[in-house]
Amino acid sequence: MAQPSAVLGTYRRSELAFERGEGCWLHATNGQRYLDCAAGIAVNALGHCHPHMVEAIVKQAQKLWHVSNVFQIPEQELLAQRLVDLTFADKAFFTNSGAEAMEAAIKMARRYFWSLGQAEKFRIITIEGAFHGRTLATIAAGGQEKYLEGFGPKVDGFDSVPYGDHAALTAAITPATAAILVEPIQGEGGIRTIPPQCLKGLRQMCDERGLLLIFDEVQCGMGRTGKLFAHEWAGVTPDILAAAKGIGGGFPLGACLAIERVAACMTPGTHGTTYGGNPLAMAVGNSVLDVIEQPVFLENIIAKGHEFRHGLQQLCQKFPHLFLEVRGQGLMLGLKLSVEPSEMVAQLRKHNLLSVAGGDHTMRLLPPLIISSDEIAFALDALAQAATHFPEKAAS
């Protein structure tokens, strides 16, 4: 009888274990090789063991890993300036995770209005189906009961409205509202995209009512859609943005970006982090940005996204009883299914393809951004083979 695991049982883990990875592929301890279209849930943006990342981390590891943020960290200054130069932002604060980046965003929004003498404005409107992290504040922001259950009173300050319900969102605004928080593309929520015109409408609404606009781009950012950040497709900018996952390419790293007017409220002592922005993480973050900034890298994501999407649409036509809809943009893709997503995820593993389940009966396909046409063809073939295990039910 196997000895019980000493690891806390917060995950329903597959029996698969991996010993090494290369590019878009993972090699398991069972001797099998798997095409990774989960990418650590949109984390391994450049695949596994990308040579430029390996070189950067080895070089930095031989020099310096960690010092406190009470000292100057040149690598941090560099990455912050690069992100500022590439985005709407004027300031960057580095964290170890997306949840921490979101916590920084929430605190910044509240403190901004406090600094204006409007401490009563602290509430944030969020969207049903959202996922913003696992801390007490971020599960309250997400509003999903399955994550809130058993953790005591919900942290106050968040008002969740139905996805796509403009009237409900407008009605939720009160004198206590400080900000609107959205994912331009919901990941966990089922690869649900907020249309560009709606993001523009949110920006206009916030401007007219004196609210802050916060984007959570932890999953949809860092090139995943073919732009550095997904909101760029709509031609709008937020006041605050949370990034993580792909920004470190597999190394724990997150960032909260903000415009100067808002960031100015975060004065010395108001927020902090022990590990965030350490030299090792910054070396990795800079190496990821080195690759993403290369000519045609983002254009290639758009092309590969179109290629993958076209293949998925053909599968929808071939297996209409199973594959109901293709969602997403770039290489953040989803398939809405007629079966439980976990069933399809499990079946795909038998065909050496890794994917991840999502909400709204959707399975997510989040490959490394370096995926090739041959690898896309492999994924589509695996999906077609897996589909044969779910025959169309005969009419009663």
Side-chain angles (χ1 to χ4, degrees), residues 143-160:
Q144 296 192 51
E145 287 300 324
K146 63 181 178 180
Y147 297 127
L148 289 163
E149 184 180 18
F151 294 110
K154 176 182 173 182
V155 173
D156 192 25
F158 302 96
D159 301 303
S160 183

Side-chain angles (χ1 to χ4, degrees), residues 154-303:
K154 176 182 173 182
V155 173
D156 192 25
F158 302 96
D159 301 303
S160 183
V161 300
Y163 175 89
D165 192 333
H166 178 79
L169 190 150
T170 303
I173 299 174
T174 72
T177 302
I180 297 174
L181 163 62
V182 300
E183 299 163 278
I185 302 178
Q186 287 189 348
E188 168 112 359
I191 313 295
R192 299 196 298 183
T193 301
I194 296 181
Q197 65 269 24
C198 293
L199 290 181
K200 291 178 180 177
L202 289 175
R203 178 71 273 176
Q204 182 179 353
M205 179 184 294
C206 288
D207 290 341
E208 291 174 350
R209 296 174 180 252
L211 308 177
L212 297 179
L213 181 59
I214 308 172
F215 287 159
D216 178 343
E217 294 227 23
V218 169
Q219 189 166 149
C220 62
M222 294 310 296
R224 178 60 49 185
T225 66
K227 297 282 190 183
L228 185 61
F229 288 107
H231 69 264
E232 295 175 34
W233 290 104
V236 301
T237 57
D239 300 299
I240 308 172
L241 179 143
K245 290 189 180 285
I247 197 173
F251 195 93
L253 178 58
C256 179
L257 307 179
I259 61 172
E260 177 64 41
R261 172 173 59 88
V262 176
C265 71
M266 302 299 282
T267 53
T270 57
H271 194 50
T273 170
T274 296
Y275 295 109
N278 68 75
L280 197 56
M282 297 297 92
V284 177
N286 275 302
S287 73
V288 171
L289 207 52
D290 288 343
V291 176
I292 291 179
E293 278 194 291
Q294 289 177 1
V296 311
F297 185 83
L298 292 175
E299 287 85 348
N300 189 57
I301 293 170
I302 296 172

Side-chain angles (χ1 to χ4, degrees), residues 37-38 187-192 219 308 312 315 322-328 332-349 353-366 379 382-384 386-387 390:
C37 280
E188 168 112 359
I191 313 295
R192 299 196 298 183
Q219 189 166 149
F308 209 160
L312 293 174
L315 287 175
L322 178 63
F323 301 132
L324 308 180
E325 179 187 6
V326 182
R327 295 177 173 180
M332 186 175 183
L333 296 169
L335 270 175
K336 185 159 186 178
L337 307 170
S338 62
V339 299
E340 287 296 325
S342 58
E343 295 180 30
M344 177 58 71
V345 169
Q347 192 59 238
L348 285 172
R349 287 176 185 155
L353 179 66
L354 304 178
S355 59
V356 61
D360 198 30
H361 256 263
T362 301
M363 180 186 70
R364 288 176 279 179
L365 295 162
L366 307 165
L383 281 159
F390 300 92

Side-chain angles (χ1 to χ4, degrees), residues 49-65 251 279-281 283-284 287:
C49 298
H50 191 283
H52 186 62
M53 290 182 64
V54 171
E55 179 184 8
I57 200 169
V58 169
K59 184 178 179 180
Q60 185 62 44
Q62 293 172 335
K63 295 194 298 183
L64 185 66
W65 291 26
F251 195 93
L280 197 56
V284 177
S287 73

Side-chain angles (χ1 to χ4, degrees), residues 391-396:
E392 186 173 3
K393 294 179 181 180
S396 56

Side-chain angles (χ1 to χ4, degrees), residues 72-93:
Q72 297 289 324
I73 303 176
E75 300 87 356
Q76 187 180 135
E77 294 287 343
L78 174 61
L79 184 55
Q81 189 61 56
R82 293 177 74 182
L83 289 170
V84 164
D85 290 344
L86 289 168
T87 69
F88 70 96
D90 300 302
K91 299 290 183 181
F93 176 84

